[in-house]
Amino acid sequence: MWRGLRSLPARAARGLCRPSTRRGSDAPTPGSGATIFALSSGQGRCGVAVIRTSGPASGAALRSLTASGDLPPARNARLRLLSDPRSGEPLDRALVLWFPGPRSFTGEDCAEFHVHGGPAVVSSVLQALGRVPGLRPAEAGEFTRRAFAHGKLNLTEVEGLADLIHAETEAQRRQALRQLDGELGQLCQGWAQALTTALAHVEAYIDFGEDDNLEEGVLERADNTVQALHVALGEHLRDARRGQRLRSGAHVVVAGPPNAGKSTLVNLLSRKPVSIVSPEPGTTRDVLETPVDLAGFPVLLSDTAGLREGVGPVEQEGVRRARERLEQADLILAVLDASDLASPSSHDFLDSVVAHVGSQNTNGSSQHLLLVLNKSDLLPPEGPGHHPDLPPHLLLSCLTGEGLDGLLGALRDELAVVCGDPSTGPPLLTRARHQHHLQACVDALGYYQQAKDLALAAEALRVARGHLACLTGGGGTEELLDIIFRDFCVGK
């Protein structure tokens, strides 16, 4: 592609916009000398509660509460009597552990107190720690923030830890654990190393291109590296927001004509009475939504009004909202009455919804649809009969449960496509922040490929590398970190 212009030093262009590294004036400074403490296990009564400290006074706190001059061996549990450091009153008999830095979760000296989980015991130990000089209660996410500040976790691993704490389904747990294990961070670091090599080659050509000692093909190698990265990043950006759906939940809409059994199916899938079930057509007149775990994937399940010409303004509004939800759905569960396929309402639904979504998919739409023929218990033994225009479908009886396993299997397959399979394939982009920085990186690589000046091309590579650094926390603003760590509980 080159260009061949080497007009000004690379430093002249380095003032171009890069990811900001400004620190917020009100942000707490991890590791500023204070020792923090908090309850790390959940609130409420339990068999064992875990209270942890982090900071330089952790050893003093452990000695103070155990009235012992010696710390226990590192990373070994010891049974100790905990006492109030002022009054000497016994508080509890507990297991204590000592984690000297830097070999601890935060990278600082840490102590843990495994006490009995009654509220009075936990409260008394927390009050005793508050009376130790140099200790203060931790803020939300402050333990993890200190781990980030000391290089124990990068930012994508921090996000993976937060997602693991909040995971409610198997798919979310698997994805969060992969991210916590550093798969996404390692991928970004590999991309950043390739960009660094390409940038070094361009800089070498700028500084030494007139010398005979520079080997040939330096710029061509940089171009090839950038082109390969452009392709790889583009593939990740074309994941249709699967990782974000996996983290926050896919939108599954149950739709069909009146009395097809939509509400019964929603109650069956959610395993609770979400919707009123009645033989009267038009019972559901609004969108009823409930979060469920479907085949291990997080789903927001929506029951909608039966699609027909509304009888009265209230039902008309319900039908309008149902059609609106259909436009927003990631996956449509289209439900028909298997014993009433010849009715005008069934034909209208097949033409207006099922056929429409099928035609959109041929044009590259990411919306998915499963056609379910409910009330199979009303069919004759030979089945629904011959319907040449009927698309591929699943037979189900919400009354007897026959066909439910097949439906759950089909849902699992469709949701694995919609959300991505967290067990296989490359790491998913689970947050809008990931998408933003990767897109900005791709844009910068595009500027590099179009640049006619080597200095501007080199700056484009710096900007691209800066956005990759922002992914793992090397270039993020303090305000961004505040938002990310705010998702943690106080003791994490």
Side-chain angles (χ1 to χ4, degrees):
M1 76 194 201
W2 275 99
R3 283 190 243 338
L5 293 179
R6 193 167 46 84
S7 58
L8 58 141
R11 288 83 183 166
R14 288 182 186 168
L16 295 180
C17 122
R18 310 180 186 174
S20 168
T21 57
R22 182 175 62 86
R23 294 180 66 90
S25 58
D26 297 329
T29 304
S32 57
T35 297
I36 56 175
F37 67 91
L39 174 67
S40 283
S41 52
Q43 298 283 347
R45 290 179 175 82
C46 55
V48 176
V50 178
I51 297 170
R52 67 189 343 184
T53 71
S54 179
S58 290
L62 188 54
R63 291 188 183 96
S64 180
L65 264 69
T66 57
S68 172
D70 297 325
L71 293 171
R75 288 167 291 280
N76 280 267
R78 290 291 186 270
L79 184 64
R80 294 285 188 269
L81 177 66
L82 303 185
S83 303
D84 186 289
R86 290 186 180 176
S87 66
E89 178 187 1
L91 303 176
D92 190 24
R93 191 170 295 278
L95 287 177
V96 298
L97 292 100
W98 167 240
F99 300 93
R103 294 181 61 190
S104 68
F105 172 72
T106 63
E108 303 174 327
D109 288 349
C110 293
E112 287 187 2
F113 302 86
H114 294 221
V115 302
H116 292 95
V121 174
V122 172
S123 176
S124 64
V125 175
L126 290 175
Q127 290 179 27
L129 287 171
R131 289 190 281 269
V132 176
L135 268 68
R136 64 166 175 82
E139 298 179 7
E142 193 170 359
F143 285 91
T144 306
R145 188 158 189 163
R146 291 190 177 202
F148 170 74
H150 290 96
K152 292 293 184 176
L153 298 170
N154 66 40
L155 201 52
T156 57
E157 292 168 345
V158 167
E159 291 169 330
L161 177 57
D163 291 344
L164 187 62
I165 292 172
H166 293 99
E168 296 181 348
T169 71
E170 273 298 294
Q172 288 176 319
R173 180 191 63 78
R174 292 192 186 106
Q175 166 59 28
L177 193 57
R178 288 185 66 183
Q179 190 162 323
L180 176 59
D181 285 343
E183 291 191 23
L184 180 58
Q186 291 165 12
L187 185 64
C188 293
Q189 289 169 6
W191 289 334
Q193 288 171 3
L195 271 180
T196 301
T197 301
L199 177 59
H201 288 164
V202 174
E203 292 273 24
Y205 191 86
I206 291 173
D207 293 337
F208 308 110
E210 295 178 353
D211 300 337
D212 294 334
N213 294 332
L214 192 64
E215 62 181 284
E216 296 182 1
V218 169
L219 290 181
E220 287 74 11
R221 288 201 294 275
D223 288 347
N224 293 337
T225 298
V226 169
Q227 178 61 29
L229 278 174
H230 196 274
V231 172
L233 295 177
E235 290 177 352
H236 269 74
L237 285 171
R238 286 192 294 271
D239 73 346
R241 295 179 56 251
R242 291 183 302 162
Q244 293 180 59
R245 290 194 194 98
L246 180 59
R247 179 171 173 264
S248 58
H251 192 183
V252 176
V253 173
V254 180
N259 265 15
K262 302 182 299 299
S263 297
T264 305
L265 178 57
V266 167
N267 292 343
L268 186 64
L269 292 176
S270 59
R271 297 183 292 277
K272 60 184 178 182
V274 175
S275 304
I276 296 174
V277 176
S278 167
E280 179 184 343
T283 302
T284 303
R285 296 190 174 190
D286 203 350
V287 178
L288 302 176
E289 297 182 328
T290 182
V292 299
D293 178 349
L294 272 187
F297 289 89
V299 162
L300 181 64
L301 189 63
S302 298
D303 186 15
T304 59
L307 298 180
R308 65 173 178 177
E309 291 300 323
V311 180
V314 175
E315 188 174 352
Q316 287 176 5
E317 175 62 17
V319 171
R320 186 196 67 78
R321 294 186 182 189
R323 295 191 184 279
E324 185 180 70
R325 284 296 194 280
L326 282 173
E327 295 295 326
Q328 302 167 355
D330 298 312
L331 172 62
I332 298 171
L333 271 180
V335 184
L336 289 175
D337 185 340
S339 65
D340 193 31
L341 296 178
S343 67
S345 60
S346 294
H347 279 291
D348 289 344
F349 182 74
L350 285 170
D351 293 338
S352 63
V353 176
V354 178
H356 176 67
V357 173
S359 64
Q360 281 188 322
N361 286 340
T362 60
N363 295 326
S365 172
S366 61
Q367 200 169 51
H368 294 249
L369 183 144
L370 280 175
L371 178 59
V372 179
L373 303 187
N374 188 28
K375 305 185 183 181
S376 62
D377 53 288
L378 300 180
L379 292 176
E382 59 270 18
H386 181 62
H387 295 274
D389 297 331
L390 197 62
H393 56 272
L394 298 164
L395 285 176
L396 172 70
S397 171
C398 289
L399 180 65
T400 67
E402 186 177 359
L404 181 60
D405 289 341
L407 174 60
L408 290 176
L411 281 169
R412 184 185 302 108
D413 295 340
E414 292 292 335
L415 290 171
V417 176
V418 170
C419 300
D421 188 345
S423 301
T424 60
L428 297 171
L429 308 178
T430 56
R431 301 185 183 228
R433 185 183 75 85
H434 303 163
Q435 293 269 349
H436 165 75
H437 286 299
L438 276 195
Q439 185 60 60
C441 182
V442 167
D443 293 342
L445 295 182
Y447 297 147
Y448 168 89
Q449 293 172 320
Q450 298 169 9
K452 301 300 181 183
D453 184 281
L454 280 180
L456 294 177
E459 181 60 22
L461 292 185
R462 290 188 201 94
V463 171
R465 191 175 60 159
H467 280 289
L468 288 180
C470 284
L471 272 172
T472 56
T477 66
E478 205 64 30
E479 291 85 351
L480 170 66
L481 299 180
D482 288 342
I483 293 172
I484 291 174
F485 289 102
R486 194 184 304 153
D487 287 341
F488 286 88
C489 57
V490 171
K492 194 60 180 174

